[in-house]
Amino acid sequence: MSFVHSMGLNPQQLVGATHRDGPLLILAGAGSGKTKVITTRIAWLIAEQHVSGRSILALTFTNKAAREMKERVFGLLPKKSGKGLTVGTFHAFCVQLLRSKIGLLGYREKFSIFDSSDRMHLITDIMKDLKIDLEILPPDKVAWKISDAKNALIHPGREAEEWFGDALLASIYRHYQSTLKGFNIVDFDDLLMLAVDLFAVAGEEMALHVSRWRYLLVDEYQDTNQAQYKLLRCLTRDHDNICVVGDDDQSIYAWRGADISNILNFEKDFPGTVVIRLEQNYRSTGNILRAANSVIAHNTARKGKNLWTSGVNGDPVRIIPTSDETDEAESIVSEILTIRREDRASFADMAIVFRTNFQTRPFEELFAAQGIPYEVIGGTKFFDRREVKDIVCYLRLMANRHDEIALLRIINRPKRGIGTQTIEKIVQWAEKHTMHLYDVMLDADHVDTMDDNTRYKIGVFCELVEEYAKKLLSARSMVPVVREIVHASGYEEELLREAGGDADKFQKSQRWLQELYTSIQLYEADEDVERHDLFGYLERISLLVDDKSEDKERRRDAVTLMTMHSCKGLEFPYVFVSGVEEGNIPHTHSIEAGTVEEERRLFYVAMTRAMKRLYLTWAAERRRYGESSDCEPSRFIDEIDPACIEWISPGSTRSAESVDLVEAFERMRQQRGG
């Protein structure tokens, strides 16, 4: 019997794994075993069809995926039978092409590769040379635009000017690219674009060079951009043995160049394509799948499939209405503790998924207060964010003038002319006279190594600290005072300057500060706190900023917090999708831009991470920009098959309010025509 028949493949998987020649599109639904199919197919070609490993090229998006694929393939094969097999990322493969052929493009073979930091430095220097105001046109925005252009195969020149719609951006791009080439350097995006260029300038030579690869396999095809698509077309110029695996329903990276039309149009691009749908799901219960299917069915730009399982229906999808974000966090934590107790589950079995990282703050605070371990994936912990940490360090210094870690962090943040040399003089004087740094600054008139201008700047800083330290200690509420500190210190002005006219970037920084204000407000409203003062607040958050490392076992057993974009490819027995509200998911920007279908795919991805139980939560009121606003449940909840869901009252003291919310939603559903 063929080894492939001993792999336990279902009928569709078997067809995909044993397809011999010609184009093959495997539409692999979430949890349908796509990696098993693609690795078995490679092994089958080598072991049973006697295709040389040298003839097979498999492309992925991450090094991790490439390693896993290679390990699994070789695990299926006798030793040395897969010799010559090429498995790697798109970028690694392009480096391989360029190392031997980049001379055709006027580069020298021993080129260097710029990382993102190097790219930013060069773009900044070029913009300075061109006398461009970096505050009006931020270099990071320019870098993003150039990356987009390269992924779309737009070269410098008139083409770029038309594509950018901006002569200045096109000029920067032209200078940037000519500088790279002059230094014999390429950046990460060049790897794709220049590889495609090789085929354009030396088609016959390149066709001969890549002719060894007669079988091409591509994972996560829905995530390919235009440059990757064009490269694949070049590689299959003389044959059509291409197998792509992907899921149009999980195409969620349009914002970074992914083009869903690549997978939607695959049959048109490759006539005679055999299409296989992997619809049997090995991850989730029947009710979770039916709920996810009913939502994604509302998209029109899709190939269409219907996930199913031979397993149990399981629990209904549980929808928890809550009154606000605090109630939402309390309700989810209550459920987590109940699951721990009743199901004997570990914290590592649970994940909380958000549309944006701004939603993590109430959970982080509650987890810390209750001693629940957690990990943030795809983002920095709230109290580790630069804006939050900076202002907390102001508060720490005002509470304790000898907190020198806090002092050194914010002494020149924002920039106030107290630079490295001045700080070194303060440190040297403190060491010589056995004084604390802040005491030296208070007595700066006696530091003979400083000039009068420097002493004045230090004095202004110390006056700020002393003035607001007194205000914080006497204020009925700390929030207005903290707002004053942000303004009076020049910090707000610094954020605006750093944003360089980018309103979204400035608002993002402001949102984190608003979340800090909210954190203080909630602390002051906490009736269980004995003393509502600066010291008590800093004591509370010390749980979150403490650098003491946990033991490895404890860190593994932790609740995972992540964005919807970060959760793709992962799975957890218990998943909580938080903030399922209009304006959040789908996001307001997507509603305005008419891209709700990608938001629906994003929600679908989040839902299909759940294996055993799925919770969806929404808040009737949520603080945004420091102010409370009313929220409606997302239209996506309305799209779920009612037979798959159960409305439950959260385990908080506000459950009565939640019953009212359920009734309100039902009225809303009727008004929407649901």
Side-chain angles (χ1 to χ4, degrees):
M1 183 178 70
S2 166
F3 89 90
V4 75
H5 289 89
S6 66
M7 293 293 295
L9 302 177
N10 65 43
Q12 288 73 35
Q13 290 175 328
L14 184 61
V15 172
T18 58
H19 176 84
R20 185 59 164 88
D21 294 328
L24 175 65
L25 170 61
I26 301 177
L27 295 171
S32 63
K34 70 177 179 69
T35 304
K36 185 176 183 179
V37 174
I38 197 170
T39 53
T40 303
R41 173 170 170 73
I42 295 171
W44 177 80
L45 285 171
I46 295 171
E48 299 200 5
Q49 300 301 301
H50 308 295
V51 175
S52 169
R54 293 188 72 259
S55 301
I56 301 174
L57 169 64
L59 296 174
T60 69
F61 278 84
T62 67
N63 291 316
K64 180 182 177 183
R67 283 195 306 271
E68 181 184 355
M69 186 180 295
K70 201 166 185 175
E71 288 170 1
R72 291 177 67 167
V73 168
F74 282 109
L76 296 173
L77 293 171
K79 287 184 178 180
K80 298 182 179 180
S81 61
K83 186 177 180 181
L85 172 67
T86 304
V87 180
T89 65
F90 275 94
H91 291 91
F93 174 69
C94 288
V95 170
Q96 184 179 338
L97 291 181
L98 293 171
R99 285 295 180 200
S100 59
K101 297 293 181 180
I102 199 169
L104 297 172
L105 301 175
Y107 290 79
R108 297 183 299 280
E109 287 188 10
K110 294 183 178 179
F111 60 87
S112 300
I113 302 174
F114 256 7
D115 62 21
S116 57
S117 176
D118 295 326
R119 181 179 64 176
M120 281 298 301
H121 282 305
L122 179 56
I123 289 174
T124 302
D125 289 343
I126 289 170
M127 292 177 69
K128 288 179 179 177
D129 290 341
L130 295 174
K131 305 288 192 290
I132 298 171
D133 191 332
L134 304 187
E135 294 186 358
I136 296 175
L137 186 60
D140 58 344
K141 187 175 182 179
V142 174
W144 187 265
K145 290 286 188 182
I146 290 174
S147 180
D148 281 349
K150 290 184 178 185
N151 287 333
L153 299 176
I154 303 298
H155 293 78
R158 185 172 297 177
E159 179 187 29
E161 190 168 330
E162 293 175 359
W163 191 83
F164 285 123
D166 188 311
L168 185 58
L169 278 173
S171 177
I172 299 169
Y173 182 20
R174 185 170 59 254
H175 280 83
Y176 172 70
Q177 205 62 10
S178 63
T179 303
L180 285 181
K181 191 170 184 178
F183 291 154
N184 203 43
I185 291 171
V186 301
D187 65 18
F188 212 60
D189 298 311
D190 280 330
L191 297 175
L192 295 173
M193 186 173 73
L194 294 179
V196 174
D197 287 348
L198 283 175
F199 289 90
V201 302
E204 295 303 319
E205 183 175 348
M206 288 304 301
L208 181 63
H209 182 69
V210 301
S211 61
R212 58 173 278 202
W213 291 296
R214 305 302 297 176
Y215 290 87
L216 179 58
L217 300 96
V218 184
D219 194 16
E220 303 287 2
Y221 188 66
Q222 78 281 349
D223 294 335
T224 53
N225 58 31
Q226 278 303 299
Q228 289 158 332
Y229 166 78
K230 185 67 176 182
L231 176 66
L232 295 174
R233 297 291 287 178
C234 293
L235 291 170
T236 54
R237 193 191 76 166
D238 296 330
H239 68 83
D240 60 359
N241 294 324
I242 178 171
C243 167
V244 301
V245 183
D247 184 3
D248 50 304
D249 289 334
Q250 297 188 71
S251 179
I252 59 174
Y253 296 122
W255 53 275
R256 68 183 191 195
D259 189 346
I260 193 174
S261 67
N262 291 347
I263 192 169
L264 295 179
N265 296 334
F266 186 83
E267 294 162 89
K268 179 182 177 182
D269 293 331
F270 296 91
T273 292
V274 173
V275 180
I276 297 171
R277 287 173 168 81
L278 302 184
E279 296 176 306
Q280 185 172 359
N281 177 282
Y282 297 92
R283 174 186 298 157
S284 306
T285 63
N287 276 322
I288 293 172
L289 295 178
R290 280 190 284 274
N293 287 335
S294 62
V295 171
I296 201 63
H298 287 77
N299 272 7
T300 56
R302 63 190 297 257
K303 304 293 285 187
K305 61 184 174 303
N306 196 55
L307 297 182
W308 61 276
T309 178
S310 61
V312 299
N313 282 330
D315 296 329
V317 174
R318 300 183 176 183
I319 301 178
I320 307 178
T322 63
S323 54
D324 56 32
E325 68 267 31
T326 300
D327 187 27
E328 181 182 50
E330 291 173 351
S331 301
I332 289 177
V333 170
S334 175
E335 286 293 325
I336 286 173
L337 295 176
T338 299
I339 293 168
R340 282 268 293 178
R341 183 178 64 253
E342 295 182 354
D343 294 9
R344 298 186 180 277
S346 66
F347 287 124
D349 290 334
M350 307 179 212
I352 305 174
V353 182
F354 313 91
R355 177 62 180 84
T356 66
N357 277 318
F358 298 116
Q359 297 169 247
T360 67
R361 192 268 308 157
F363 292 94
E364 292 192 55
E365 289 190 343
L366 195 55
F367 284 153
Q370 298 200 21
I372 298 174
Y374 71 95
E375 297 287 340
V376 178
I377 296 178
T380 310
K381 290 186 177 183
F382 175 73
F383 283 102
D384 286 337
R385 299 201 178 264
R386 188 190 66 168
E387 300 90 337
V388 174
K389 204 163 188 174
D390 285 345
I391 302 306
V392 168
C393 280
Y394 270 97
L395 302 183
R396 284 169 50 185
L397 184 62
M398 291 170 186
N400 177 12
R401 309 302 193 278
H402 296 163
D403 188 337
E404 295 183 349
I405 294 175
L407 171 62
L408 291 173
R409 181 179 179 94
I410 53 94
I411 189 173
N412 204 40
R413 175 81 178 147
K415 291 182 174 63
R416 50 176 59 91
I418 306 176
T420 304
Q421 291 184 354
T422 300
I423 294 171
E424 286 177 358
K425 291 176 182 178
I426 295 171
V427 171
Q428 289 169 0
W429 191 270
E431 290 175 349
K432 182 179 178 180
H433 297 275
T434 321
M435 297 173 66
H436 290 288
L437 299 184
Y438 189 81
D439 293 339
V440 174
M441 295 171 67
L442 284 175
D443 199 30
D445 287 342
H446 294 92
V447 182
D448 54 23
T449 56
M450 295 181 188
D451 57 41
D452 289 339
N453 186 44
T454 302
R455 294 190 187 100
Y456 172 77
K457 292 172 181 176
I458 291 173
V460 171
F461 174 75
C462 291
E463 286 176 8
L464 175 82
V465 173
E466 296 300 317
E467 177 185 356
Y468 285 98
K470 292 177 182 177
K471 286 187 176 183
L472 282 169
L473 292 175
S474 61
R476 293 185 63 182
S477 171
M478 291 186 286
V479 175
V481 183
V482 177
R483 289 181 184 272
E484 279 188 47
I485 292 169
V486 172
H487 179 72
S489 65
Y491 194 81
E492 190 172 48
E493 187 177 348
E494 180 86 343
L495 292 177
L496 186 60
R497 189 161 51 248
E498 288 178 349
D502 187 335
D504 288 341
K505 186 176 179 180
F506 178 67
Q507 283 186 355
K508 188 175 182 178
S509 296
Q510 289 290 84
R511 287 174 196 168
W512 290 121
L513 292 179
Q514 293 292 355
E515 284 296 316
L516 177 62
Y517 305 147
T518 299
S519 169
I520 299 172
Q521 286 173 339
L522 294 174
Y523 161 74
E524 293 180 331
D526 191 343
E527 295 178 355
D528 294 330
V529 175
E530 292 183 6
R531 60 174 194 185
H532 295 96
D533 58 17
L534 175 61
F535 303 96
Y537 178 68
L538 292 174
E539 184 179 302
R540 169 181 279 195
I541 67 174
S542 67
L543 291 168
L544 295 166
V545 297
D546 190 357
D547 289 332
K548 287 188 283 187
S549 59
E550 301 173 291
D551 63 82
K552 293 182 180 180
E553 185 175 352
R554 183 173 176 80
R555 286 183 67 84
R556 285 199 298 269
D557 188 23
V559 179
T560 300
L561 306 180
M562 72 184 88
T563 65
M564 293 179 176
H565 283 101
S566 299
C567 76
K568 188 171 177 290
L570 302 177
E571 59 183 36
F572 299 87
Y574 307 89
V575 172
F576 298 83
V577 184
S578 165
V580 190
E581 302 142 14
E582 282 293 295
N584 190 42
I585 179 72
H587 199 276
T588 301
H589 295 320
S590 73
I591 298 172
E592 295 171 348
T595 56
V596 170
E597 290 210 353
E598 174 142 345
E599 290 286 292
R600 187 176 283 110
R601 291 194 292 270
L602 189 58
F603 184 59
Y604 172 82
V605 167
M607 295 176 76
T608 53
R609 299 312 94 193
M611 302 165 67
K612 185 176 181 179
R613 197 177 300 160
L614 173 65
Y615 297 81
L616 308 176
T617 67
W618 63 278
E621 184 181 13
R622 192 175 294 276
R623 291 177 179 85
R624 294 191 177 109
Y625 309 109
E627 297 181 359
S628 295
S629 57
D630 295 334
C631 303
E632 293 184 3
S634 169
R635 68 187 71 186
F636 299 154
I637 292 180
D638 198 18
E639 294 171 358
I640 300 175
D641 183 349
C644 301
I645 63 177
E646 175 188 8
W647 290 81
I648 67 172
S649 297
S652 75
T653 57
R654 311 182 196 191
S655 57
E657 298 177 36
S658 300
V659 173
D660 294 337
L661 292 174
V662 175
E663 295 174 353
F665 177 76
E666 289 303 324
R667 291 194 297 272
M668 199 177 300
R669 181 191 287 269
Q670 292 174 7
Q671 293 170 359
R672 290 174 175 172

